[in-house]
Amino acid sequence: IRTGNIRIGLSPVTGVSVLTFILAKFHALYPSLSLIFIEDGSLQLQKQLEEGLIDFAIMHLWKRFARHA
């Protein structure tokens, strides 16, 4: 993908710590891609992933979902 939107779900703590390291590099590599961030709790992000509302999520994996990984 070189153009378009990527919808990223973030849990408040996990997302910030990960994104600070990769955003500048990502934008340099893919300037025509728009990143749309949705901040929510991990359980809500899991539901949004299942429903196709977000493309991927950066979050804690709760033990309840670990068996699906």
Side-chain angles (χ1 to χ4, degrees):
I1 298 177
R2 293 285 179 191
T3 61
N5 298 316
I6 298 175
R7 299 163 299 173
I8 304 168
L10 303 169
S11 63
V13 175
T14 306
V16 171
S17 64
V18 172
L19 285 179
T20 55
F21 296 106
I22 63 170
L23 278 179
K25 181 71 171 177
F26 184 89
H27 183 67
L29 292 171
Y30 305 100
S32 296
L33 275 175
S34 296
L35 301 177
I36 301 168
F37 298 101
I38 296 96
E39 186 177 58
D40 213 336
S42 294
L43 295 176
Q44 291 80 12
L45 292 173
Q46 176 70 27
K47 183 176 179 183
Q48 291 176 42
L49 277 170
E50 291 169 355
E51 294 174 356
L53 299 174
I54 57 177
D55 298 305
F56 71 93
I58 301 170
M59 62 184 180
H60 290 288
L61 183 62
W62 295 100
K63 187 176 183 178
R64 158 181 156 178
F65 296 112
R67 67 180 181 273
H68 300 294

